[in-house]
Amino acid sequence: MKKVMLAGALSIACLTGGFGGQAQAQETVNVANIIHPKQAVAATSQLQAMSYQDIYKMLLLSKIGFENDEVSIVTTKNSITVKISLESILQSYKDGTNLYPEGEKEFKENYEELKKLFGNAIQIKITQTGNGFKSEVYTAGKWEAVSTEDLNDMVQVFARADVELKPGGYFKDAIGHWAESYIQLLYQADIITGTSATTFNPNGQVTRGELAAIIFRASGLNVNEDYEGPATYTDLNGFWGAKEVAILEEYGLIDIFNGEKFEPKKPVTREEMAYITARYLESMEVNVSRVSTTNTFTDKNQMRGETVEAIGLLQHLGILNGTNGKFNPKGNLTRAEVSKILTLTLMLLSEEE
């Protein structure tokens, strides 16, 4: 997924009025006129068909394309608040990453008025109310109601990311978690699943078998088409992911597990995940020849020899990091950490296309 800015229309919709006296004083902008007629028609019924949970998930996905200082998302058990930097929207028009290019002229012409209304950032809050929801925008020092029409315009633009939301994925135990957006993206991409319909267990450990299944799905491999025979590991009889492991072994993605046994229930370590991720990038023919593999972590002497450069590569790619200069290579990975590492890897892959 390339970095994309999905907030262009929000700033314009906020100028249509309805946000108190200060907003009413501004010249209104007809959002319908800057959306293609067919898109406008499609948008009319979109919001009515979306539940609070769907809007929640869509906003979470939008966070992936931004840097941390450009957008923040605060989630609670019954609300989601998005804060988007006006400067980041302006920059997205300059570098061509905004998914709402037809709104550029309106945005730039009204930039100073937007700053007067909202300060340096637009804040919008969606709150669950029974079977429905209410939406508000922060302006003139207080929260003001947003009309369904204006919210509809915003949601329609977020939907331009071409993500058809799956049922489920509203994981109550991941609400407010730092990895919530990464988890949502991999869930929507059919790469990772919850531990139940409403739970994800973000801080739970990841086993070798689970990681194999995740990498297999991310690779786009097919059991029926790619399976050529059992793996060399001797302990996969009866294991549900035996064919997936065999295929990954054939492609050389999991040769970090080089013993006679695969031990599918054994927790994966951080260095094992790093090695597999680096091999995955290699198998997808990502050009990393200009990226340094110099490993600067201070606990490098605790790493397996074959993982040192892989960890260095991912470190310089910004896919993984450590704490206080250390990587903790023998530490176990959480489901949240795997979600972040794999999401950043997939984003890198999309930029290569």
Side-chain angles (χ1 to χ4, degrees):
M1 176 184 291
K2 280 189 176 181
K3 179 181 177 183
V4 290
M5 299 299 181
L6 306 176
L10 172 58
S11 58
I12 295 171
C14 287
L15 283 174
T16 60
F19 306 132
Q22 186 176 1
Q24 292 286 358
Q26 312 305 323
E27 181 180 355
T28 61
V29 178
N30 189 337
V31 178
N33 287 342
I34 54 179
I35 298 178
H36 189 279
K38 290 184 179 179
Q39 293 174 332
V41 172
T44 302
S45 60
Q46 179 175 350
L47 187 60
Q48 296 175 353
M50 294 186 73
S51 66
Y52 166 79
Q53 293 185 5
D54 283 340
I55 293 177
Y56 183 99
K57 291 185 290 184
M58 189 172 289
L59 292 176
L60 279 182
L61 291 173
S62 74
K63 174 70 171 68
I64 298 296
F66 292 87
E67 301 294 340
N68 288 333
D69 58 347
E70 295 173 336
V71 65
S72 67
I73 291 183
V74 177
T75 57
T76 71
K77 64 180 182 180
N78 65 352
S79 72
I80 181 167
T81 302
V82 183
K83 183 177 181 180
I84 305 171
S85 161
L86 285 176
E87 178 61 32
S88 70
I89 301 174
L90 182 63
Q91 183 58 42
S92 73
Y93 281 125
K94 292 179 180 179
D95 61 28
T97 56
N98 198 300
L99 287 185
Y100 194 70
E102 61 267 51
E104 180 175 4
K105 182 174 181 292
E106 296 276 8
F107 178 81
K108 290 182 176 179
E109 288 179 350
N110 292 284
Y111 187 76
E112 294 304 320
E113 295 302 325
L114 287 166
K115 290 190 71 172
K116 291 178 183 179
L117 275 172
F118 307 112
N120 294 325
I122 297 172
Q123 299 181 69
I124 189 163
K125 178 166 60 176
I126 314 294
T127 305
Q128 191 171 20
T129 56
N131 295 327
F133 56 87
K134 66 176 182 179
S135 52
E136 300 168 283
V137 68
Y138 193 78
T139 180
K142 61 182 179 179
W143 289 101
E144 296 280 358
V146 177
S147 71
T148 300
E149 181 181 359
D150 286 341
L151 184 62
N152 195 70
D153 291 327
M154 180 197 72
V155 171
Q156 192 272 336
V157 173
F158 275 97
R160 291 188 181 194
D162 293 329
V163 175
E164 186 173 341
L165 293 174
K166 290 170 49 182
Y170 185 72
F171 301 121
K172 295 181 179 180
D173 62 346
I175 292 175
H177 196 283
W178 61 265
E180 192 175 7
S181 289
Y182 303 123
I183 291 167
Q184 189 61 226
L185 185 141
L186 294 188
Y187 172 81
Q188 294 297 334
D190 285 325
I191 292 173
I192 203 164
T193 60
T195 53
S196 76
T198 58
T199 60
F200 185 78
N201 190 20
N203 298 321
Q205 294 182 352
V206 178
T207 66
R208 290 181 175 186
E210 290 168 338
L211 180 61
I214 291 170
I215 295 296
F216 184 87
R217 296 179 195 129
S219 301
L221 295 167
N222 185 293
V223 170
N224 296 325
E225 297 176 2
D226 297 297
Y227 181 70
E228 296 183 356
T232 61
Y233 302 111
T234 60
D235 61 344
L236 296 179
N237 187 30
F239 172 54
W240 53 266
K243 288 186 177 181
E244 287 87 343
V245 171
I247 295 170
L248 293 180
E249 183 186 29
E250 183 71 22
Y251 277 89
L253 293 178
I254 56 173
D255 56 10
I256 188 71
F257 307 128
N258 54 9
E260 289 186 3
K261 296 182 178 181
F262 180 68
E263 301 179 274
K265 295 183 179 180
K266 185 176 182 178
V268 171
T269 66
R270 290 169 58 80
E271 67 178 346
E272 289 168 346
M273 175 67 184
Y275 182 87
I276 292 171
T277 302
R279 295 303 299 269
Y280 172 68
L281 286 172
E282 179 183 322
S283 72
M284 300 299 286
E285 300 181 347
V286 175
N287 183 10
V288 294
S289 59
R290 297 182 181 180
V291 181
S292 173
T293 59
T294 302
N295 188 320
T296 65
F297 291 112
T298 58
D299 53 355
K300 184 166 52 178
N301 63 331
Q302 298 176 24
M303 301 173 187
R304 291 173 56 171
E306 64 267 47
T307 70
V308 174
E309 288 194 356
I311 293 171
L313 173 67
L314 299 187
Q315 179 187 17
H316 288 285
L317 287 173
I319 290 175
L320 53 75
N321 50 39
T323 303
N324 298 323
K326 295 184 178 181
F327 181 66
N328 186 22
K330 309 302 182 188
N332 294 328
L333 275 168
T334 66
R335 288 167 57 81
E337 289 170 335
V338 167
S339 298
K340 179 180 179 180
I341 291 170
L342 192 52
T343 294
L344 295 180
T345 301
L346 294 174
M347 290 174 67
L348 176 64
L349 283 173
S350 71
E351 291 171 1
E352 290 287 313
E353 294 178 354

